[in-house]
């Protein structure tokens, strides 16, 4: 038997029984809330409603779960466009770009905008409410509960949908709320009752307070929960019109409950709770940052060196995240769209970036078009072009290359490799951005050409963890996620006084102890990573060993040494990147955060001091830059900006309204039509 639920054509023979000789499909409730009227708020996708088919069966509720997955597909484009266009990393074309997209970008979108619709999110929510209200979550085979993972995954979907609504429509801005309900609504009278009840109108913090306790109870009762797999590694979802076979990993359509809980706490400044949830997920699921290298195509050689002499320059692998793959590395959650309109819900995202994913032109790769609507912005290029690249220079003993582990690290303004631009055909597969040699005015973003909308990657969780750790005061641990990654290697980087040959402490001119170079971790932070968070505890330290963990900034900033030194010691992991090397004195917290403080002081004309709060705020801005480099063109920039701006305002630093000033400056290139000093104008009008 096959089912086709808008884009998921899945063979589930022998996995799902028919109910009373019929195949039932989930009734998808569609809700449309408006501010002024309750008319036309409720419609159903089917002519008739089937009441609870198979909800007390061990297997048949798969239909409901896949129905919610189909509703998630309808969210995809709106989630992506709001998240990307209301950030500063892309620009629109006045001649070619759709009017609705231009309005999102310049903050003039009204309720008539095609991408301003709470309806698609409430469709997900009401279907989740229906499932959670009717599903028997106690069914067992023997002593094993066979439905709880699916039940928890649906609860996480609902929490994620509410989180997006709050990010898009209200945040915690004065006077802004959205309707909140957790029971399935099946009539207009129910909707009217909710709309008239002030207690059902909530902002971001109130929504988190309402949903988090139930999710916490589920986690406490089922601490080893995993997202469902439906008993198989992958399913085929068909072939594109131009001949590419598509497969999806069903486990990746779900959102891990710890991750969405972590995000809810991060949004509402409950930082230790957020950090614990992220750590719980990463440790229990053995998620370590994979090595992901990238390299900008070079326009010149640093210091007159030929860059072919960079020591063991690595395989370029960052782009593999965004290729058609059954199990793409590092991807935790995505929304895969249909391969054609005949197969289900399609997406316009690839086409807006210049890739005609639904073309009937037979080709070995996704065809490109001339009319590109969205391209990288000047702000994106300014950020990535100014980045340093760290490398090991090759050395020679006469005519023979030395193979020992290098002791020297050098840098140059090579730009961040994650913004790699290729303008010649042989580099196309190694570039996130492609410039057509026949027309240099056009830049294509290859991240989007698989028609997947990415919600979470391992890097997302680690960088959100860094944001939480920084806010907790562990700025060095947050920086470690960028430079080295969290591993046992950090135990070697604890700051200690320099000793002379006789074991005496060497002092500076002012009499203070001279700290050993390149070491930057405090013992307090290392202890925290083995106690409050369990990464370096006896239970998990073997997973997070120095050989298998890499810093996230290394994805775009450095070369990699994969040889062994003369002592036959492994030169992998944190010790192997030119970024994470102990010999790298350029990329250290005091240096990088100090530079960020100077940048903030000059750009915003504020007095940046040397207090812990100043360091935390500067590190937060630095993390915002890393979000831009790592996640550009993945549909999430606005969600990060609004959160960070809120938290700057909540800190009360550098004038009290620094977050609003910061947000205005970030979006200045979009030429916004509204005054973004007022946080209420950050959000879309609720429709």
């Amino acid at each position: 038997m096959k089912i086709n639920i808008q884009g998921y054509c899945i063979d589930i023979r022998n996995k799902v029984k028919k109910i009373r000789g019929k195949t039932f499909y989930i009734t998808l409730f569609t809700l449309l809330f408006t501010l002024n009227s309750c008319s036309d708020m409720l419609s159903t996708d089917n002519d008739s409603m089937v009441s609870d088919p198979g909800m007390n069966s061990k297997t048949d509720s798969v239909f409901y779960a896949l129905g919610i997955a189909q509703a998630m597909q309808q969210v995809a484009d709106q989630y992506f466009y709001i998240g990307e266009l209301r950030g500063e990393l892309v620009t629109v074309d006045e001649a070619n770009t759709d009017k609705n997209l231009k309005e999102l970008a310049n903050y003039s979108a009204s309720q008539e905008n095609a991408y301003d619709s709470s309806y698609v999110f409430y469709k997900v929510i009401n279907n989740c409410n229906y499932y959670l209200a009717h599903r028997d979550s106690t069914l067992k085979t023997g002593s094993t509960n066979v439905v709880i993972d699916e039940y928890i995954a649906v609860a996480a979907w609902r929490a994620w949908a509410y989180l997006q609504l709050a990010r898009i429509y209200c945040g915690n801005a004065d006077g802004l709320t959205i309707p909140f309900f957790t029971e399935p609504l099946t009539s207009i009278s129910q909707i009217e009752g909710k709309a008239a009840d002030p207690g059902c109108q909530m902002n971001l913090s109130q929504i988190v307070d309402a949903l988090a306790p139930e999710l916490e109870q589920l986690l406490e009762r089922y601490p080893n929960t995993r997202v469902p797999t439906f008993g198989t590694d992958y399913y085929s979802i068909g072939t594109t019109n131009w001949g590419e076979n598509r497969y999806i990993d069903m486990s990746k359509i779900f959102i891990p409950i710890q991750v969405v809980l972590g995000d809810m706490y991060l949004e509402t400044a409950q930082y230790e709770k957020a950090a614990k949830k992220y750590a719980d997920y990463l440790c229990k699921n053995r998620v370590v940052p994979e090595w992901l290298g990238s390299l900008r195509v070079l326009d010149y050689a640093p210091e007159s060196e030929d860059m072919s002499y960079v020591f063991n320059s690595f395989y370029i692998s960052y782009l593999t995240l965004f290729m058609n793959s059954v199990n793409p590395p590092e991807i935790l959650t995505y929304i895969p769209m249909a391969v054609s309109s005949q197969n289900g819900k399609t997406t316009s995202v690839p086409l807006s970036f210049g890739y005609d994913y639904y073309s009937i032109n037979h080709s070995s790769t996704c065809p490109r078009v001339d009319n590109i609507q969205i391209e990288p912005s000047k702000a994106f290029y300014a950020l990535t072009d100014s980045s340093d690249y760290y490398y090991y220079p090759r050395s020679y003993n006469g005519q023979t290359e030395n193979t020992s582990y290098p002791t020297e690290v050098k840098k140059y303004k090579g730009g961040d490799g994650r913004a790699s631009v290729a303008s010649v055909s042989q580099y196309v597969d190694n570039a996130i951005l492609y410039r057509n040699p026949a027309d240099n005015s056009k830049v294509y973003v290859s991240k989007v050409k698989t028609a997947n909308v990415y919600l979470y990657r391992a890097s997302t969780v680690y960088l959100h963890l860094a944001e939480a750790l920084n806010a907790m005061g562990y700025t060095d641990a947050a920086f470690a996620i960028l430079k080295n990654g969290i591993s046992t290697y950090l135990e070697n980087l604890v700051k200690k006084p320099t000793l002379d040959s006789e074991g005496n402490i060497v002092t500076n001119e002012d009499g203070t102890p001279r700290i050993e170079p390149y070491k930057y971790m405090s013992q307090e932070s290392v202890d925290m990573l083995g106690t409050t968070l369990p990464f370096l505890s006896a239970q998990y330290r073997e997973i997070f060993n120095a050989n298998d963990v890499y810093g996230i900034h290394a994805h775009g900033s450095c070369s990699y040494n994969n040889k062994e030194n003369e002592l036959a010691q492994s030169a992998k992991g944190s010790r192997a990147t030119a970024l994470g090397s102990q010999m790298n004195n350029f990329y250290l917290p005091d240096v990088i955060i100090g530079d960020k403080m100077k940048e903030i002081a000059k750009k915003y004309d504020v007095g940046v001091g040397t207090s812990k709060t100043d360091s935390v705020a500067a590190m937060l801005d630095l993390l915002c830059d890393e979000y831009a480099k790592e996640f550009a063109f993945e549909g999430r920039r606005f969600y990060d900006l609004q959160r960070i701006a809120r938290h700057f305002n909540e800190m009360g630093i550098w004038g009290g309204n620094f977050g609003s000033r910061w947000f205005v400056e970030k979006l200045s290139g979009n030429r916004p039509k509204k005054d973004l000093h007022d946080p209420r104008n950050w959000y879309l009008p609720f429709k």
Side-chain angles (χ1 to χ4, degrees):
M1 178 179 66
K2 286 190 176 183
I3 61 173
N4 188 332
I5 303 184
Q6 290 254 336
Y8 298 110
C9 184
I10 301 169
D11 188 349
I12 56 170
R13 187 181 293 108
N14 299 323
K15 298 185 186 299
V16 181
K17 296 183 295 183
K18 289 186 177 181
I19 308 169
R20 300 188 186 94
K22 295 183 179 180
T23 300
F24 287 91
Y25 293 83
I26 185 170
T27 300
L28 300 178
F29 301 108
T30 59
L31 296 179
L32 178 59
F33 286 85
T34 66
L35 292 176
N36 302 315
S37 173
C38 291
S39 62
D40 299 324
M41 285 184 179
L42 180 70
S43 64
T44 60
D45 287 339
N46 297 337
D47 292 334
S48 60
M49 187 196 316
V50 180
S51 297
D52 305 343
M55 292 299 272
N56 293 322
S57 163
K58 294 179 182 179
T59 57
D60 287 322
S61 68
V62 65
F63 290 108
Y64 287 82
L66 293 177
I68 300 170
Q70 179 270 327
M72 286 288 288
Q73 284 184 310
Q74 297 185 35
V75 164
D77 278 19
Q78 182 164 319
Y79 164 85
F80 183 96
Y81 284 133
I82 292 173
E84 200 62 46
L85 286 164
R86 290 169 75 79
E88 85 283 24
L89 304 179
V90 296
T91 187
V92 295
D93 184 277
E94 286 301 319
N96 295 325
T97 304
D98 175 81
K99 174 177 177 289
N100 295 285
L101 300 181
K102 287 191 287 188
E103 290 175 350
L104 288 178
N106 65 23
Y107 282 71
S108 66
S110 67
Q111 291 184 349
E112 282 66 49
N113 189 281
Y115 297 103
D116 180 5
S117 173
S118 64
Y119 150 74
V120 290
F121 291 98
Y122 281 112
K123 187 172 184 178
V124 172
I125 289 166
N126 208 36
N127 275 273
C128 291
N129 288 345
Y130 184 81
Y131 176 101
L132 296 170
H134 294 93
R135 181 57 164 150
D136 184 349
S137 63
T138 65
L139 298 177
K140 295 182 178 180
T141 296
S143 60
T144 302
N145 188 314
V146 295
V147 300
I148 194 61
D149 285 349
E150 182 183 281
Y151 184 91
I152 291 174
V154 171
W157 259 335
R158 178 175 69 180
W160 179 86
Y162 266 124
L163 187 58
Q164 303 323 305
L165 283 169
R167 285 167 166 167
I168 292 168
Y169 290 110
C170 63
N172 285 329
D174 290 343
L176 299 185
T177 59
I178 60 172
F180 178 84
F181 58 96
T182 55
E183 69 273 22
L185 305 183
T186 59
S187 69
I188 290 178
S189 62
Q190 286 180 299
I191 297 173
E192 290 173 338
K194 293 294 181 184
D197 184 356
C200 293
Q201 302 296 315
M202 295 190 180
N203 64 12
L204 171 62
S205 292
Q206 292 167 328
I207 288 170
V208 171
D209 289 344
L211 289 178
E214 180 182 1
L215 298 180
E216 289 281 16
Q217 290 172 9
L218 287 170
L219 259 183
E220 182 178 1
R221 188 173 180 184
Y222 304 99
N224 297 316
T225 184
R226 296 289 189 274
V227 293
T229 64
F230 297 127
T232 189
D233 293 332
Y234 65 92
Y235 289 105
S236 169
I237 60 171
T239 303
T240 63
N241 294 329
W242 42 275
E244 182 179 59
N245 295 320
R246 285 290 309 278
Y247 300 88
I248 61 172
D249 180 340
M250 289 299 292
S251 69
K252 294 185 185 300
I253 69 174
F254 297 101
I255 301 168
I257 185 173
Q258 299 101 317
V259 174
V260 74
L261 256 175
D263 274 8
M264 293 166 76
Y265 291 139
L266 185 65
E267 289 281 351
T268 52
Q270 300 179 72
Y271 297 116
E272 184 170 341
K273 286 184 177 181
K276 287 181 176 179
K277 288 297 171 289
Y278 295 137
D280 183 54
Y281 173 77
L282 294 168
C283 290
K284 287 180 178 176
N285 291 276
R286 306 170 69 93
V287 179
V288 298
E290 298 189 36
W291 172 250
L292 298 170
S294 58
L295 180 65
R296 180 181 285 282
V297 178
L298 304 174
D299 296 322
Y300 63 92
E303 302 174 13
S304 301
E305 291 184 21
D306 182 344
M307 280 303 290
S308 64
Y309 292 97
V310 172
F311 191 92
N312 290 327
S313 189
F314 48 79
Y315 171 70
I316 298 173
S317 56
Y318 181 74
L319 186 63
T320 61
L321 297 181
F322 312 104
M323 291 181 174
N324 179 21
S325 172
V326 173
N327 188 16
E330 230 235 3
I331 302 298
L332 303 182
T333 304
Y334 58 25
I335 304 175
M337 305 303 287
V339 295
S340 68
S341 57
Q342 289 74 30
N343 285 63
K345 179 64 177 175
T346 59
T347 175
S348 62
V349 169
L351 188 62
S352 61
F353 283 88
Y355 288 96
D356 190 0
Y357 186 77
Y358 299 105
S359 171
I360 60 174
N361 175 27
H362 292 282
S363 169
S364 59
T365 60
C366 185
R368 292 186 291 269
V369 298
D370 291 332
N371 295 330
I372 303 175
Q373 299 184 62
I374 306 173
E375 292 191 75
S377 68
K378 292 180 180 179
F380 172 78
Y381 289 127
L383 176 64
T384 55
D385 288 350
S386 64
S387 298
D388 290 321
Y389 184 84
Y390 307 97
Y391 67 100
Y392 298 113
R394 288 186 175 182
S395 61
Y396 287 83
N397 181 10
Q399 296 297 315
T400 305
E401 181 183 352
N402 292 324
T403 58
S404 61
Y405 191 77
T407 59
E408 180 184 20
V409 173
K410 303 181 80 171
K411 73 169 183 174
Y412 74 105
K413 288 289 182 190
D416 193 282
R418 288 165 291 189
S420 177
V421 177
S423 58
V424 288
S425 59
Q426 60 263 37
Y427 290 122
V428 171
D429 289 337
N430 290 335
I432 291 299
L433 308 179
Y434 170 74
R435 196 183 303 276
N436 190 335
D439 185 355
N440 282 331
S441 67
K442 295 181 174 64
V443 175
Y444 298 82
V445 177
S446 64
K447 275 188 177 184
V448 303
K449 67 180 181 182
T450 59
N452 291 329
V453 173
Y454 303 103
L455 302 184
Y456 289 102
R457 299 202 266 120
S459 294
T460 319
V461 182
Y462 272 104
L463 287 177
H464 282 187
L465 172 62
E467 188 177 330
L469 289 173
N470 178 58
M472 292 166 64
Y474 297 106
T475 301
D476 54 346
F479 192 86
I481 290 175
L482 304 184
K483 179 175 171 63
N484 299 97
I486 296 178
S487 78
T488 53
Y489 189 55
L490 297 183
E491 295 169 340
N492 301 322
L493 300 181
V494 175
K495 294 185 291 186
K496 297 178 181 178
T498 302
L499 303 180
D500 61 21
S501 59
E502 297 179 355
N504 300 312
I505 295 177
V506 178
T507 59
N508 298 312
E509 291 183 0
D510 61 1
T512 59
R514 182 181 302 170
I515 302 300
E516 293 179 348
Y518 61 70
K519 295 189 175 183
Y520 63 93
M521 292 295 297
S522 69
Q523 188 64 54
E524 179 186 13
S525 292
V526 170
D527 291 343
M528 177 272 299
L529 293 172
T531 53
T532 304
L533 305 184
F535 291 98
L536 306 184
S537 66
Q539 183 177 4
Y540 294 113
R541 64 184 293 110
E542 181 56 34
I543 298 171
F544 299 96
N545 64 81
N547 289 337
D548 296 330
V549 174
Y550 300 88
I552 289 175
H553 192 64
H555 293 178
S557 70
C558 73
S559 62
Y560 166 58
N561 171 48
N562 59 6
K563 293 190 176 181
E564 296 180 350
N565 64 18
E566 59 271 22
L567 300 178
Q569 294 175 342
S570 175
K572 295 168 56 182
S574 294
R575 291 171 292 188
T577 68
L579 174 75
S581 169
Q582 287 189 350
M583 309 306 164
N584 189 336
N585 287 318
F586 305 110
Y587 195 79
L588 289 170
D590 289 348
V591 176
I592 301 301
I593 295 176
D595 288 345
K596 176 58 72 173
M597 287 179 169
K598 294 175 185 176
E599 175 191 320
I600 291 171
K602 181 178 180 180
K603 182 180 294 186
Y604 298 98
D605 191 24
V606 295
V608 179
T610 58
S611 70
K612 185 70 173 179
T613 303
D614 288 302
S615 295
V616 167
M619 183 65 197
L620 179 56
D621 199 12
L622 186 67
L623 286 170
C624 186
D625 290 347
E626 197 68 33
Y627 287 139
K629 297 169 186 176
E630 184 70 19
F631 304 123
F633 323 124
E634 295 180 40
R636 55 174 302 114
R637 185 58 172 170
F638 168 75
Y639 308 121
D640 289 331
L641 292 180
Q642 60 86 33
R643 178 184 68 255
I644 292 172
R646 278 192 293 106
H647 289 170
F648 275 138
N649 279 342
E650 290 163 4
M651 291 173 70
I653 196 170
W654 300 330
N657 69 335
F658 176 76
S660 295
R661 292 181 58 201
W662 179 89
F663 193 80
V664 167
E665 193 280 331
K666 285 288 184 185
L667 276 300
S668 60
N670 295 43
R671 297 186 294 277
K673 302 295 185 182
K674 293 182 178 179
D675 180 8
L676 299 183
H677 289 93
D678 184 348
R680 291 174 297 182
N681 290 333
W682 302 352
Y683 303 100
L684 285 175
F686 184 78
K687 183 183 74 172

